PDB file of all heavy atoms in Angstrom:
ATOM      1  N   VAL A 232      14.132 -71.929 -75.722  1.00 98.00           N
ATOM      2  CA  VAL A 232      12.676 -71.856 -75.812  1.00 98.00           C
ATOM      3  C   VAL A 232      12.096 -72.553 -74.589  1.00 98.00           C
ATOM      4  O   VAL A 232      12.167 -73.778 -74.476  1.00 98.00           O
ATOM      5  CB  VAL A 232      12.162 -72.525 -77.112  1.00 98.00           C
ATOM      6  CG1 VAL A 232      10.634 -72.438 -77.171  1.00 98.00           C
ATOM      7  CG2 VAL A 232      12.796 -71.870 -78.329  1.00 98.00           C
ATOM      8  N   GLY A 233      11.545 -71.765 -73.662  1.00 98.00           N
ATOM      9  CA  GLY A 233      10.964 -72.321 -72.449  1.00 98.00           C
ATOM     10  C   GLY A 233      11.787 -71.962 -71.233  1.00 98.00           C
ATOM     11  O   GLY A 233      12.964 -72.313 -71.115  1.00 98.00           O
ATOM     12  N   GLY A 235      11.140 -72.951 -68.183  1.00 98.00           N
ATOM     13  CA  GLY A 235      10.864 -73.926 -67.128  1.00 98.00           C
ATOM     14  C   GLY A 235      12.181 -74.325 -66.469  1.00 98.00           C
ATOM     15  O   GLY A 235      13.235 -73.675 -66.664  1.00 98.00           O
ATOM     16  N   LEU A 236      12.151 -75.400 -65.703  1.00 98.00           N
ATOM     17  CA  LEU A 236      13.343 -75.800 -64.962  1.00 98.00           C
ATOM     18  C   LEU A 236      14.492 -76.182 -65.898  1.00 98.00           C
ATOM     19  O   LEU A 236      15.640 -75.787 -65.693  1.00 98.00           O
ATOM     20  CB  LEU A 236      12.987 -76.982 -64.033  1.00 98.00           C
ATOM     21  CG  LEU A 236      14.076 -77.428 -63.077  1.00 98.00           C
ATOM     22  CD1 LEU A 236      14.526 -76.297 -62.158  1.00 98.00           C
ATOM     23  CD2 LEU A 236      13.575 -78.620 -62.234  1.00 98.00           C
ATOM     24  N   TYR A 237      14.185 -76.943 -66.947  1.00 98.00           N
ATOM     25  CA  TYR A 237      15.239 -77.362 -67.868  1.00 98.00           C
ATOM     26  C   TYR A 237      15.890 -76.153 -68.533  1.00 98.00           C
ATOM     27  O   TYR A 237      17.112 -75.981 -68.512  1.00 98.00           O
ATOM     28  CB  TYR A 237      14.667 -78.318 -68.938  1.00 98.00           C
ATOM     29  CG  TYR A 237      15.733 -78.952 -69.793  1.00 98.00           C
ATOM     30  CD1 TYR A 237      16.255 -80.193 -69.468  1.00 98.00           C
ATOM     31  CD2 TYR A 237      16.228 -78.304 -70.924  1.00 98.00           C
ATOM     32  CE1 TYR A 237      17.251 -80.775 -70.244  1.00 98.00           C
ATOM     33  CE2 TYR A 237      17.216 -78.879 -71.704  1.00 98.00           C
ATOM     34  CZ  TYR A 237      17.725 -80.116 -71.363  1.00 98.00           C
ATOM     35  OH  TYR A 237      18.707 -80.694 -72.124  1.00 98.00           O
ATOM     36  N   ASP A 256       9.613 -67.386 -73.312  1.00 98.00           N
ATOM     37  CA  ASP A 256       8.543 -68.272 -72.828  1.00 98.00           C
ATOM     38  C   ASP A 256       7.205 -67.691 -73.250  1.00 98.00           C
ATOM     39  O   ASP A 256       6.989 -66.480 -73.171  1.00 98.00           O
ATOM     40  CB  ASP A 256       8.583 -68.445 -71.312  1.00 98.00           C
ATOM     41  CG  ASP A 256       7.876 -69.737 -70.899  1.00 98.00           C
ATOM     42  OD1 ASP A 256       6.637 -69.846 -71.125  1.00 98.00           O
ATOM     43  OD2 ASP A 256       8.541 -70.659 -70.399  1.00 98.00           O
ATOM     44  N   LYS A 257       6.329 -68.577 -73.677  1.00 98.00           N
ATOM     45  CA  LYS A 257       5.024 -68.086 -74.131  1.00 98.00           C
ATOM     46  C   LYS A 257       4.135 -67.659 -72.961  1.00 98.00           C
ATOM     47  O   LYS A 257       3.188 -66.917 -73.146  1.00 98.00           O
ATOM     48  CB  LYS A 257       4.338 -69.140 -74.985  1.00 98.00           C
ATOM     49  CG  LYS A 257       3.988 -70.393 -74.237  1.00 98.00           C
ATOM     50  CD  LYS A 257       3.274 -71.384 -75.129  1.00 98.00           C
ATOM     51  CE  LYS A 257       2.914 -72.576 -74.278  1.00 98.00           C
ATOM     52  NZ  LYS A 257       2.084 -73.535 -74.910  1.00 98.00           N
ATOM     53  N   ARG A 258       4.447 -68.155 -71.776  1.00 97.00           N
ATOM     54  CA  ARG A 258       3.637 -67.742 -70.624  1.00 97.00           C
ATOM     55  C   ARG A 258       4.050 -66.339 -70.178  1.00 97.00           C
ATOM     56  O   ARG A 258       5.083 -65.823 -70.592  1.00 97.00           O
ATOM     57  CB  ARG A 258       3.837 -68.712 -69.449  1.00 97.00           C
ATOM     58  CG  ARG A 258       3.389 -70.120 -69.791  1.00 97.00           C
ATOM     59  CD  ARG A 258       3.415 -71.005 -68.573  1.00 97.00           C
ATOM     60  NE  ARG A 258       3.317 -72.409 -68.969  1.00 97.00           N
ATOM     61  CZ  ARG A 258       3.371 -73.438 -68.124  1.00 97.00           C
ATOM     62  NH1 ARG A 258       3.529 -73.225 -66.821  1.00 97.00           N
ATOM     63  NH2 ARG A 258       3.269 -74.675 -68.550  1.00 97.00           N
ATOM     64  N   GLY A 263       7.956 -72.130 -65.651  1.00 98.00           N
ATOM     65  CA  GLY A 263       7.156 -73.260 -66.128  1.00 98.00           C
ATOM     66  C   GLY A 263       6.200 -73.739 -65.053  1.00 98.00           C
ATOM     67  O   GLY A 263       5.583 -72.928 -64.354  1.00 98.00           O
ATOM     68  N   ASN A 264       6.156 -75.034 -64.856  1.00 97.00           N
ATOM     69  CA  ASN A 264       5.178 -75.606 -63.918  1.00 97.00           C
ATOM     70  C   ASN A 264       5.584 -75.474 -62.448  1.00 97.00           C
ATOM     71  O   ASN A 264       4.837 -75.875 -61.555  1.00 97.00           O
ATOM     72  CB  ASN A 264       4.939 -77.078 -64.271  1.00 97.00           C
ATOM     73  CG  ASN A 264       4.253 -77.200 -65.606  1.00 97.00           C
ATOM     74  OD1 ASN A 264       3.581 -76.275 -66.043  1.00 97.00           O
ATOM     75  ND2 ASN A 264       4.459 -78.314 -66.280  1.00 97.00           N
ATOM     76  N   LEU A 265       6.761 -74.913 -62.201  1.00 98.00           N
ATOM     77  CA  LEU A 265       7.182 -74.721 -60.798  1.00 98.00           C
ATOM     78  C   LEU A 265       6.664 -73.388 -60.252  1.00 98.00           C
ATOM     79  O   LEU A 265       6.848 -73.097 -59.061  1.00 98.00           O
ATOM     80  CB  LEU A 265       8.715 -74.688 -60.704  1.00 98.00           C
ATOM     81  CG  LEU A 265       9.461 -76.001 -60.598  1.00 98.00           C
ATOM     82  CD1 LEU A 265       9.140 -76.920 -61.734  1.00 98.00           C
ATOM     83  CD2 LEU A 265      10.961 -75.730 -60.568  1.00 98.00           C
ATOM     84  N   TYR A 278       0.697 -74.660 -60.604  1.00 95.00           N
ATOM     85  CA  TYR A 278       0.508 -75.777 -61.542  1.00 95.00           C
ATOM     86  C   TYR A 278       0.646 -77.122 -60.843  1.00 95.00           C
ATOM     87  O   TYR A 278       1.200 -78.066 -61.381  1.00 95.00           O
ATOM     88  CB  TYR A 278       1.527 -75.676 -62.694  1.00 95.00           C
ATOM     89  CG  TYR A 278       1.438 -74.403 -63.495  1.00 95.00           C
ATOM     90  CD1 TYR A 278       2.192 -73.282 -63.176  1.00 95.00           C
ATOM     91  CD2 TYR A 278       0.550 -74.301 -64.580  1.00 95.00           C
ATOM     92  CE1 TYR A 278       2.094 -72.104 -63.898  1.00 95.00           C
ATOM     93  CE2 TYR A 278       0.452 -73.125 -65.323  1.00 95.00           C
ATOM     94  CZ  TYR A 278       1.223 -72.036 -64.979  1.00 95.00           C
ATOM     95  OH  TYR A 278       1.142 -70.871 -65.705  1.00 95.00           O
ATOM     96  N   ALA A 280       1.173 -79.389 -56.933  1.00 95.00           N
ATOM     97  CA  ALA A 280       2.154 -79.513 -55.862  1.00 95.00           C
ATOM     98  C   ALA A 280       3.506 -79.981 -56.414  1.00 95.00           C
ATOM     99  O   ALA A 280       3.550 -80.962 -57.169  1.00 95.00           O
ATOM    100  CB  ALA A 280       1.678 -80.553 -54.851  1.00 95.00           C
ATOM    101  N   HIS A 281       4.578 -79.311 -56.032  1.00 98.00           N
ATOM    102  CA  HIS A 281       5.911 -79.729 -56.472  1.00 98.00           C
ATOM    103  C   HIS A 281       6.802 -79.972 -55.255  1.00 98.00           C
ATOM    104  O   HIS A 281       7.077 -79.055 -54.486  1.00 98.00           O
ATOM    105  CB  HIS A 281       6.527 -78.656 -57.379  1.00 98.00           C
ATOM    106  CG  HIS A 281       6.055 -78.815 -58.792  1.00 98.00           C
ATOM    107  ND1 HIS A 281       4.793 -78.458 -59.205  1.00 98.00           N
ATOM    108  CD2 HIS A 281       6.683 -79.344 -59.879  1.00 98.00           C
ATOM    109  CE1 HIS A 281       4.662 -78.749 -60.488  1.00 98.00           C
ATOM    110  NE2 HIS A 281       5.789 -79.281 -60.928  1.00 98.00           N
ATOM    111  N   ILE A 282       7.258 -81.189 -55.128  1.00 98.00           N
ATOM    112  CA  ILE A 282       8.127 -81.553 -54.002  1.00 98.00           C
ATOM    113  C   ILE A 282       9.422 -82.080 -54.602  1.00 98.00           C
ATOM    114  O   ILE A 282       9.423 -83.068 -55.339  1.00 98.00           O
ATOM    115  CB  ILE A 282       7.475 -82.631 -53.103  1.00 98.00           C
ATOM    116  CG1 ILE A 282       6.157 -82.077 -52.556  1.00 98.00           C
ATOM    117  CG2 ILE A 282       8.406 -83.035 -51.966  1.00 98.00           C
ATOM    118  CD1 ILE A 282       4.987 -82.981 -52.794  1.00 98.00           C
ATOM    119  N   CYS A 433       6.124 -64.641 -75.162  1.00 98.00           N
ATOM    120  CA  CYS A 433       6.722 -64.773 -76.495  1.00 98.00           C
ATOM    121  C   CYS A 433       6.654 -66.230 -76.923  1.00 98.00           C
ATOM    122  O   CYS A 433       7.399 -67.083 -76.417  1.00 98.00           O
ATOM    123  CB  CYS A 433       8.177 -64.294 -76.433  1.00 98.00           C
ATOM    124  SG  CYS A 433       9.037 -64.494 -77.997  1.00 98.00           S
ATOM    125  N   ASP A 434       5.718 -66.501 -77.836  1.00 98.00           N
ATOM    126  CA  ASP A 434       5.554 -67.876 -78.339  1.00 98.00           C
ATOM    127  C   ASP A 434       6.543 -68.094 -79.485  1.00 98.00           C
ATOM    128  O   ASP A 434       6.513 -67.350 -80.472  1.00 98.00           O
ATOM    129  CB  ASP A 434       4.109 -68.084 -78.800  1.00 98.00           C
ATOM    130  CG  ASP A 434       3.853 -69.528 -79.173  1.00 98.00           C
ATOM    131  OD1 ASP A 434       4.796 -70.230 -79.613  1.00 98.00           O
ATOM    132  OD2 ASP A 434       2.714 -69.972 -79.028  1.00 98.00           O
ATOM    133  N   TYR A 435       7.374 -69.090 -79.330  1.00 98.00           N
ATOM    134  CA  TYR A 435       8.375 -69.403 -80.352  1.00 98.00           C
ATOM    135  C   TYR A 435       7.724 -69.549 -81.733  1.00 98.00           C
ATOM    136  O   TYR A 435       8.224 -69.035 -82.732  1.00 98.00           O
ATOM    137  CB  TYR A 435       9.133 -70.676 -79.959  1.00 98.00           C
ATOM    138  CG  TYR A 435      10.040 -71.238 -81.009  1.00 98.00           C
ATOM    139  CD1 TYR A 435      11.195 -70.571 -81.383  1.00 98.00           C
ATOM    140  CD2 TYR A 435       9.731 -72.452 -81.627  1.00 98.00           C
ATOM    141  CE1 TYR A 435      12.031 -71.098 -82.350  1.00 98.00           C
ATOM    142  CE2 TYR A 435      10.561 -72.994 -82.589  1.00 98.00           C
ATOM    143  CZ  TYR A 435      11.715 -72.314 -82.956  1.00 98.00           C
ATOM    144  OH  TYR A 435      12.543 -72.825 -83.898  1.00 98.00           O
ATOM    145  N   PHE A 436       6.589 -70.235 -81.779  1.00 98.00           N
ATOM    146  CA  PHE A 436       6.001 -70.538 -83.084  1.00 98.00           C
ATOM    147  C   PHE A 436       5.366 -69.317 -83.756  1.00 98.00           C
ATOM    148  O   PHE A 436       5.216 -69.284 -84.965  1.00 98.00           O
ATOM    149  CB  PHE A 436       4.991 -71.695 -82.972  1.00 98.00           C
ATOM    150  CG  PHE A 436       5.692 -72.960 -82.561  1.00 98.00           C
ATOM    151  CD1 PHE A 436       5.553 -73.454 -81.269  1.00 98.00           C
ATOM    152  CD2 PHE A 436       6.542 -73.617 -83.429  1.00 98.00           C
ATOM    153  CE1 PHE A 436       6.230 -74.585 -80.872  1.00 98.00           C
ATOM    154  CE2 PHE A 436       7.240 -74.753 -83.030  1.00 98.00           C
ATOM    155  CZ  PHE A 436       7.077 -75.240 -81.759  1.00 98.00           C
ATOM    156  N   THR A 452      12.526 -76.602 -75.351  1.00 98.00           N
ATOM    157  CA  THR A 452      11.954 -77.393 -74.257  1.00 98.00           C
ATOM    158  C   THR A 452      10.431 -77.504 -74.343  1.00 98.00           C
ATOM    159  O   THR A 452       9.784 -77.942 -73.398  1.00 98.00           O
ATOM    160  CB  THR A 452      12.338 -76.812 -72.860  1.00 98.00           C
ATOM    161  OG1 THR A 452      11.542 -75.639 -72.610  1.00 98.00           O
ATOM    162  CG2 THR A 452      13.793 -76.436 -72.766  1.00 98.00           C
ATOM    163  N   GLY A 453       9.865 -77.116 -75.487  1.00 98.00           N
ATOM    164  CA  GLY A 453       8.415 -77.272 -75.672  1.00 98.00           C
ATOM    165  C   GLY A 453       8.080 -78.667 -76.185  1.00 98.00           C
ATOM    166  O   GLY A 453       8.954 -79.528 -76.286  1.00 98.00           O
ATOM    167  N   TYR A 537       0.653 -81.621 -69.575  1.00 92.00           N
ATOM    168  CA  TYR A 537       1.352 -81.880 -68.307  1.00 92.00           C
ATOM    169  C   TYR A 537       2.032 -83.241 -68.268  1.00 92.00           C
ATOM    170  O   TYR A 537       3.238 -83.330 -68.142  1.00 92.00           O
ATOM    171  CB  TYR A 537       0.398 -81.765 -67.119  1.00 92.00           C
ATOM    172  CG  TYR A 537       0.022 -80.352 -66.762  1.00 92.00           C
ATOM    173  CD1 TYR A 537      -1.297 -79.959 -66.672  1.00 92.00           C
ATOM    174  CD2 TYR A 537       1.001 -79.401 -66.510  1.00 92.00           C
ATOM    175  CE1 TYR A 537      -1.647 -78.663 -66.347  1.00 92.00           C
ATOM    176  CE2 TYR A 537       0.673 -78.103 -66.169  1.00 92.00           C
ATOM    177  CZ  TYR A 537      -0.655 -77.737 -66.091  1.00 92.00           C
ATOM    178  OH  TYR A 537      -0.988 -76.475 -65.771  1.00 92.00           O
ATOM    179  N   TYR A 538       1.212 -84.276 -68.352  1.00 90.00           N
ATOM    180  CA  TYR A 538       1.793 -85.630 -68.185  1.00 90.00           C
ATOM    181  C   TYR A 538       1.840 -86.338 -69.542  1.00 90.00           C
ATOM    182  O   TYR A 538       0.799 -86.623 -70.126  1.00 90.00           O
ATOM    183  CB  TYR A 538       0.914 -86.468 -67.247  1.00 90.00           C
ATOM    184  CG  TYR A 538       0.884 -86.010 -65.821  1.00 90.00           C
ATOM    185  CD1 TYR A 538      -0.168 -85.244 -65.334  1.00 90.00           C
ATOM    186  CD2 TYR A 538       1.909 -86.360 -64.961  1.00 90.00           C
ATOM    187  CE1 TYR A 538      -0.201 -84.842 -64.007  1.00 90.00           C
ATOM    188  CE2 TYR A 538       1.892 -85.953 -63.629  1.00 90.00           C
ATOM    189  CZ  TYR A 538       0.825 -85.194 -63.160  1.00 90.00           C
ATOM    190  OH  TYR A 538       0.799 -84.794 -61.849  1.00 90.00           O
ATOM    191  N   GLY A 566      13.975 -81.742 -71.617  1.00 98.00           N
ATOM    192  CA  GLY A 566      12.885 -81.497 -70.666  1.00 98.00           C
ATOM    193  C   GLY A 566      11.726 -82.443 -70.882  1.00 98.00           C
ATOM    194  O   GLY A 566      11.751 -83.312 -71.758  1.00 98.00           O
ATOM    195  N   ARG A 567      10.723 -82.273 -70.038  1.00 96.00           N
ATOM    196  CA  ARG A 567       9.593 -83.205 -69.997  1.00 96.00           C
ATOM    197  C   ARG A 567       8.819 -83.263 -71.329  1.00 96.00           C
ATOM    198  O   ARG A 567       8.371 -84.322 -71.744  1.00 96.00           O
ATOM    199  CB  ARG A 567       8.629 -82.762 -68.898  1.00 96.00           C
ATOM    200  CG  ARG A 567       8.071 -83.926 -68.119  1.00 96.00           C
ATOM    201  CD  ARG A 567       7.025 -83.477 -67.099  1.00 96.00           C
ATOM    202  NE  ARG A 567       7.110 -84.357 -65.954  1.00 96.00           N
ATOM    203  CZ  ARG A 567       6.102 -84.673 -65.149  1.00 96.00           C
ATOM    204  NH1 ARG A 567       4.915 -84.173 -65.342  1.00 96.00           N
ATOM    205  NH2 ARG A 567       6.263 -85.488 -64.161  1.00 96.00           N
ATOM    206  N   LEU A 568       8.688 -82.128 -71.985  1.00 97.00           N
ATOM    207  CA  LEU A 568       7.859 -82.086 -73.190  1.00 97.00           C
ATOM    208  C   LEU A 568       8.667 -82.435 -74.435  1.00 97.00           C
ATOM    209  O   LEU A 568       8.191 -83.147 -75.311  1.00 97.00           O
ATOM    210  CB  LEU A 568       7.251 -80.695 -73.349  1.00 97.00           C
ATOM    211  CG  LEU A 568       6.396 -80.214 -72.175  1.00 97.00           C
ATOM    212  CD1 LEU A 568       5.971 -78.758 -72.358  1.00 97.00           C
ATOM    213  CD2 LEU A 568       5.170 -81.100 -72.032  1.00 97.00           C
ATOM    214  N   PHE A 574       9.459 -87.059 -66.418  1.00 96.00           N
ATOM    215  CA  PHE A 574      10.605 -86.706 -65.567  1.00 96.00           C
ATOM    216  C   PHE A 574      10.158 -85.951 -64.330  1.00 96.00           C
ATOM    217  O   PHE A 574       9.406 -84.991 -64.424  1.00 96.00           O
ATOM    218  CB  PHE A 574      11.555 -85.742 -66.301  1.00 96.00           C
ATOM    219  CG  PHE A 574      12.389 -86.343 -67.391  1.00 96.00           C
ATOM    220  CD1 PHE A 574      12.907 -85.533 -68.383  1.00 96.00           C
ATOM    221  CD2 PHE A 574      12.685 -87.702 -67.413  1.00 96.00           C
ATOM    222  CE1 PHE A 574      13.693 -86.054 -69.389  1.00 96.00           C
ATOM    223  CE2 PHE A 574      13.479 -88.228 -68.418  1.00 96.00           C
ATOM    224  CZ  PHE A 574      13.977 -87.413 -69.406  1.00 96.00           C
ATOM    225  N   ASP A 575      10.708 -86.330 -63.176  1.00 97.00           N
ATOM    226  CA  ASP A 575      10.576 -85.477 -62.005  1.00 97.00           C
ATOM    227  C   ASP A 575      11.633 -84.373 -62.110  1.00 97.00           C
ATOM    228  O   ASP A 575      12.530 -84.432 -62.952  1.00 97.00           O
ATOM    229  CB  ASP A 575      10.810 -86.298 -60.724  1.00 97.00           C
ATOM    230  CG  ASP A 575       9.580 -87.124 -60.380  1.00 97.00           C
ATOM    231  OD1 ASP A 575       8.455 -86.622 -60.570  1.00 97.00           O
ATOM    232  OD2 ASP A 575       9.744 -88.276 -59.916  1.00 97.00           O
ATOM    233  N   MET A 576      11.519 -83.398 -61.187  1.00 98.00           N
ATOM    234  CA  MET A 576      12.425 -82.222 -61.296  1.00 98.00           C
ATOM    235  C   MET A 576      13.894 -82.610 -61.203  1.00 98.00           C
ATOM    236  O   MET A 576      14.735 -82.023 -61.883  1.00 98.00           O
ATOM    237  CB  MET A 576      12.094 -81.220 -60.200  1.00 98.00           C
ATOM    238  CG  MET A 576      10.782 -80.512 -60.387  1.00 98.00           C
ATOM    239  SD  MET A 576      10.445 -79.357 -59.059  1.00 98.00           S
ATOM    240  CE  MET A 576       9.864 -80.414 -57.784  1.00 98.00           C
ATOM    241  N   VAL A 579      15.168 -83.711 -64.444  1.00 98.00           N
ATOM    242  CA  VAL A 579      15.263 -82.583 -65.363  1.00 98.00           C
ATOM    243  C   VAL A 579      16.577 -81.809 -65.107  1.00 98.00           C
ATOM    244  O   VAL A 579      17.304 -81.474 -66.041  1.00 98.00           O
ATOM    245  CB  VAL A 579      14.017 -81.669 -65.207  1.00 98.00           C
ATOM    246  CG1 VAL A 579      14.223 -80.319 -65.888  1.00 98.00           C
ATOM    247  CG2 VAL A 579      12.791 -82.353 -65.766  1.00 98.00           C
TER     248      VAL A 579
HETATM  249  P1  FAD B 122       8.071 -77.126 -68.164  1.00 83.03           P
HETATM  250  O1  FAD B 122       8.052 -76.707 -66.737  1.00 83.03           O
HETATM  251  O2  FAD B 122       6.796 -77.576 -68.788  1.00 83.03           O
HETATM  252  O3  FAD B 122       8.682 -75.906 -69.004  1.00 83.03           O
HETATM  253  C1  FAD B 122       8.539 -75.791 -70.377  1.00 83.03           C
HETATM  254  C2  FAD B 122       8.354 -74.312 -70.670  1.00 83.03           C
HETATM  255  O4  FAD B 122       8.341 -74.128 -72.071  1.00 83.03           O
HETATM  256  C3  FAD B 122       7.030 -73.778 -70.138  1.00 83.03           C
HETATM  257  O5  FAD B 122       7.262 -72.638 -69.332  1.00 83.03           O
HETATM  258  C4  FAD B 122       6.270 -73.422 -71.394  1.00 83.03           C
HETATM  259  O6  FAD B 122       5.437 -72.279 -71.241  1.00 83.03           O
HETATM  260  C5  FAD B 122       7.388 -73.148 -72.375  1.00 83.03           C
HETATM  261  N1  FAD B 122       6.994 -73.313 -73.755  1.00 83.03           N
HETATM  262  C6  FAD B 122       6.376 -74.394 -74.315  1.00 83.03           C
HETATM  263  N2  FAD B 122       6.138 -74.138 -75.618  1.00 83.03           N
HETATM  264  C7  FAD B 122       6.642 -72.899 -75.882  1.00 83.03           C
HETATM  265  C8  FAD B 122       6.660 -72.113 -77.037  1.00 83.03           C
HETATM  266  N3  FAD B 122       6.114 -72.502 -78.185  1.00 83.03           N
HETATM  267  N4  FAD B 122       7.246 -70.893 -76.970  1.00 83.03           N
HETATM  268  C9  FAD B 122       7.759 -70.425 -75.814  1.00 83.03           C
HETATM  269  N5  FAD B 122       7.741 -71.157 -74.659  1.00 83.03           N
HETATM  270  C10 FAD B 122       7.187 -72.377 -74.714  1.00 83.03           C
HETATM  271  N6  FAD B 122       8.284 -83.195 -60.202  1.00 83.03           N
HETATM  272  C11 FAD B 122       8.847 -83.453 -58.992  1.00 83.03           C
HETATM  273  O7  FAD B 122      10.054 -83.687 -58.922  1.00 83.03           O
HETATM  274  N7  FAD B 122       8.117 -83.434 -57.847  1.00 83.03           N
HETATM  275  C12 FAD B 122       6.771 -83.175 -57.850  1.00 83.03           C
HETATM  276  O8  FAD B 122       6.137 -83.153 -56.813  1.00 83.03           O
HETATM  277  C13 FAD B 122       6.150 -82.889 -59.113  1.00 83.03           C
HETATM  278  N8  FAD B 122       4.830 -82.609 -59.177  1.00 83.03           N
HETATM  279  C14 FAD B 122       4.266 -82.359 -60.383  1.00 83.03           C
HETATM  280  C15 FAD B 122       2.880 -82.068 -60.432  1.00 83.03           C
HETATM  281  C16 FAD B 122       2.266 -81.782 -61.641  1.00 83.03           C
HETATM  282  C17 FAD B 122       0.793 -81.469 -61.691  1.00 83.03           C
HETATM  283  C18 FAD B 122       3.043 -81.813 -62.832  1.00 83.03           C
HETATM  284  C19 FAD B 122       2.388 -81.537 -64.159  1.00 83.03           C
HETATM  285  C20 FAD B 122       4.385 -82.101 -62.798  1.00 83.03           C
HETATM  286  C21 FAD B 122       5.025 -82.382 -61.585  1.00 83.03           C
HETATM  287  N9  FAD B 122       6.380 -82.622 -61.500  1.00 83.03           N
HETATM  288  C22 FAD B 122       6.964 -82.905 -60.283  1.00 83.03           C
HETATM  289  C23 FAD B 122       7.252 -82.608 -62.702  1.00 83.03           C
HETATM  290  C24 FAD B 122       7.859 -81.212 -62.951  1.00 83.03           C
HETATM  291  O9  FAD B 122       6.833 -80.278 -63.159  1.00 83.03           O
HETATM  292  C25 FAD B 122       8.738 -81.294 -64.181  1.00 83.03           C
HETATM  293  O10 FAD B 122       9.764 -82.243 -64.000  1.00 83.03           O
HETATM  294  C26 FAD B 122       9.408 -79.974 -64.567  1.00 83.03           C
HETATM  295  O11 FAD B 122       8.571 -78.866 -64.386  1.00 83.03           O
HETATM  296  C27 FAD B 122       9.775 -80.053 -66.017  1.00 83.03           C
HETATM  297  O12 FAD B 122      10.497 -78.902 -66.396  1.00 83.03           O
HETATM  298  P2  FAD B 122      10.605 -78.574 -67.936  1.00 83.03           P
HETATM  299  O13 FAD B 122      11.444 -77.345 -68.028  1.00 83.03           O
HETATM  300  O14 FAD B 122      11.006 -79.767 -68.695  1.00 83.03           O
HETATM  301  O15 FAD B 122       9.103 -78.298 -68.427  1.00 83.03           O
END
Side-chain angles (χ1 to χ4, degrees):
V232 179
L236 186 58
Y237 188 94
D256 202 296
K257 64 179 183 172
R258 297 188 195 177
N264 294 335
L265 275 56
Y278 301 92
H281 277 75
I282 301 128
C433 177
D434 187 330
Y435 171 69
F436 296 107
T452 76
Y537 285 126
Y538 293 100
R567 220 184 213 210
L568 302 173
F574 287 158
D575 282 322
M576 289 180 281
V579 166

